[in-house]
Amino acid sequence: MLSDRSYMRDDYPRNSTTVLTWLISAIIAVFVLQHVFWRFFNAEASITNLLALTVDNIKAGKVWTLFTYSFLHSTSNFLHIIGNLLGIYFIGRVLEPMLGSRRFMWLYAATVATGGAFWILTHWSGGGGAAIGASAGVAGLFVVFACFYPNQPMTFLLFFILPITLKPKYVAFALLGIELIGFVFYEVPGAVSPFASIAHSAHFGGM
């Protein structure tokens, strides 16, 4: 009988959708929405004005942009969203089971918000354009991962072709150094960064 089968009983354990899955799905959904607004309505600016982190938005009371900016990504550079999604997935699948879904989500939200707040403080008087992307969250999650597993070897694909194995603690220190140099010598003075249009202050704040 059907009732004799374990998966037909109410007490049968069913896999629930993880917070990590919801987070990645939400980022992809907003990216699709950006393209819809851009290609069909020629109104990408409307969703950017609503969700992107800008000094004007914060001054106007749109405090939710301290978090929602992380769901927006460049529509002209697919590597922007692909890199962030890969980072969230590979780090998140380690941290979420260890921390639990709620603590993992709060951790991600905190790194994004502190990164956004640091960016706002840096550009408060000068504008700074708009900050978008989940990079601050990825950077923050990686630092936490490196604290828990500082000596666990990790293999990266340098330029997506060359495998290189490093310990997380060295990668974290290197990233902190790069972001600090970019922040102090390029972003604060308003100079053009050799690291392209990277929000060093947001990454450093997230870390």
Side-chain angles (χ1 to χ4, degrees):
M1 296 178 62
L2 287 176
S3 59
D4 294 331
R5 301 177 185 179
S6 59
Y7 56 83
M8 295 299 295
R9 296 197 301 267
D10 291 337
D11 60 350
Y12 178 72
R14 293 175 173 81
N15 293 328
S16 58
T17 304
T18 65
V19 166
L20 179 62
T21 302
W22 283 114
L23 177 60
I24 291 175
S25 299
I27 292 174
I28 294 174
V30 173
F31 188 67
V32 172
L33 191 62
Q34 283 182 261
H35 276 272
V36 170
F37 271 71
W38 169 41
R39 292 184 179 276
F40 297 101
F41 301 104
N42 195 28
E44 184 184 3
S46 60
I47 191 172
T48 300
N49 291 336
L50 180 64
L51 302 180
L53 183 63
T54 66
V55 173
D56 289 340
N57 274 348
I58 294 299
K59 289 181 177 180
K62 299 178 181 178
V63 293
W64 62 83
T65 57
L66 282 170
F67 179 69
T68 57
Y69 79 95
S70 66
F71 291 94
L72 295 174
H73 288 83
S74 172
T75 53
S76 60
N77 182 8
F78 280 92
L79 288 179
H80 187 210
I81 187 171
I82 290 174
N84 283 335
L85 288 178
L86 288 175
I88 291 172
Y89 172 74
F90 284 114
I91 302 171
R93 69 175 186 172
V94 175
L95 291 183
E96 186 182 6
M98 180 175 59
L99 299 175
S101 295
R102 180 173 296 182
R103 292 176 68 189
F104 172 76
M105 194 65 242
W106 276 112
L107 172 64
Y108 176 79
T111 57
V112 166
T114 53
F118 203 72
W119 185 90
I120 284 292
L121 290 174
T122 302
H123 297 280
W124 186 257
S125 59
I132 60 173
S135 304
V138 175
L141 291 178
F142 184 79
V143 168
V144 174
F145 172 82
C147 289
F148 280 111
Y149 304 100
N151 297 307
Q152 178 176 309
M154 295 181 62
T155 300
F156 301 87
L157 282 178
L158 189 62
F159 305 116
F160 297 100
I161 54 174
L162 180 63
I164 180 172
T165 300
L166 298 169
K167 292 182 178 180
K169 62 181 180 182
Y170 298 135
V171 178
F173 282 130
L175 290 177
L176 278 167
I178 291 172
E179 300 301 347
L180 182 59
I181 291 172
F183 172 68
V184 173
F185 294 101
Y186 293 97
E187 191 169 357
V188 171
V192 178
S193 172
F195 306 107
S197 55
I198 296 178
H200 297 288
S201 56
H203 295 178
F204 194 70
M207 288 177 158

